[in-house]
Amino acid sequence: GTVGREQARMQTPALSPDGRHVAVASREQGPAFSLTRDIWVHDVVRGTAQRLTTNPMVDQRPVWSSDGTRLGFFSLRSGSGNIYTVPSDGSGSISTLGIDTVSDNEGSTLNDWSSDDRYIIYQSRSDLWYRPVSNDATPVQLTDTPYDEARAQLSPDDQYVVYESNASGQMEIYVTPFPSGKGRWQISVNGGGSPRWNPKSNELFYLSGNEMMAVTVRTDTAFEASIPQVL
């Protein structure tokens, strides 16, 4: 069914942890050629939409904190790419996510929060990084390859990270342990993107062409993944 109400240039929908709201980057009005977007939250039950940002620069790629009280997003409002947060109910001001723009966040994008909201995972240029959410924290590189890694998501138990990479020559889905990043397992077999965990950490979903794929995984002893199936 339809969620919320129609808006122009909707992108990167993100479902809230309680399933009652969807955050999107979209444009309410303005010239058809405008690339400006703001962060909006659509109420799944009531069909309303609340605007959280109003900056004339691009705000995009919203990510929920695990408790649903905050949204992180990428913005060009500072002149270069930076990560910001805003209360999801619109009750507070916008702030940065404790990241030094010059040293470790030039053009980076928030990918996910850990389940306890202590860590964030973000992509900077073509690699994945993580760091504690504090102003004096040191970033740690999770992937260090000549390839492109993106769209990472932590498993709900914070033991693994799923992401997409073109290491094979095309975008495929991989999983690596968190926080070590030592070793990886390829999940998709014929290309894939936009991976997501289910809430129990025992199944992965991803897109392959126009199809949604599902893969059962086991993490109790060693990591194991089943053959991908069309969902």
Side-chain angles (χ1 to χ4, degrees):
T2 301
V3 174
R5 60 182 176 84
E6 182 180 359
Q7 286 185 306
R9 295 184 176 273
M10 274 191 175
Q11 288 188 348
T12 57
L15 188 66
S16 64
D18 62 7
R20 294 178 57 87
H21 299 87
V22 177
V24 297
S26 60
R27 182 169 55 81
E28 181 69 357
Q29 57 187 359
F33 58 82
S34 173
L35 298 178
T36 298
R37 291 183 180 85
D38 288 301
I39 305 301
W40 291 74
V41 172
H42 289 251
D43 190 306
V44 173
V45 177
R46 301 178 60 239
T48 59
Q50 182 177 13
R51 187 176 185 172
L52 298 186
T53 67
T54 57
N55 194 278
M57 298 300 289
V58 174
D59 296 336
Q60 59 186 357
R61 301 180 185 177
V63 178
W64 293 88
S65 62
S66 65
D67 61 7
T69 63
R70 292 179 293 166
L71 278 163
F73 62 94
F74 170 82
S75 179
L76 295 171
R77 61 180 60 203
S78 65
S80 61
N82 209 334
I83 297 172
Y84 296 83
T85 65
V86 61
S88 58
D89 61 0
S91 63
S93 59
I94 296 172
S95 61
T96 60
L97 197 58
I99 293 179
D100 185 342
T101 303
V102 175
S103 65
D104 70 332
N105 191 40
E106 188 72 17
S108 63
T109 303
L110 178 65
N111 280 192
D112 199 17
W113 252 296
S114 62
S115 62
D116 57 8
D117 287 334
R118 291 179 55 200
Y119 297 93
I120 58 168
I121 289 185
Y122 61 96
Q123 62 191 75
S124 182
R125 299 178 177 86
S126 61
D127 286 304
L128 300 175
W129 297 71
Y130 73 90
R131 56 166 291 172
V133 183
S134 61
N135 289 328
D136 57 351
T138 301
V140 179
Q141 195 164 0
L142 185 66
T143 63
D144 184 9
T145 74
Y147 310 109
D148 295 328
E149 283 92 23
R151 297 187 178 181
Q153 188 190 34
L154 275 159
S155 58
D157 60 9
D158 293 333
Q159 298 300 305
Y160 297 91
V161 174
V162 65
Y163 63 96
E164 60 183 45
S165 171
N166 61 356
S168 68
Q170 65 176 348
M171 279 297 180
E172 299 280 5
I173 305 302
Y174 296 87
V175 168
T176 190
F178 182 79
S180 71
K182 295 181 179 179
R184 66 180 181 182
W185 300 270
Q186 184 173 330
I187 303 300
S188 57
V189 294
N190 292 307
S194 301
R196 289 291 182 270
W197 293 91
N198 81 345
K200 297 182 179 180
S201 301
N202 62 3
E203 191 174 23
L204 285 165
F205 307 104
Y206 66 91
L207 296 176
S208 181
N210 291 325
E211 295 180 317
M212 178 75 76
M213 310 299 292
V215 176
T216 301
V217 298
R218 292 187 58 182
T219 61
D220 50 354
T221 54
F223 185 89
E224 296 181 9
S226 70
I227 298 174
Q229 303 291 328
V230 178
L231 186 65

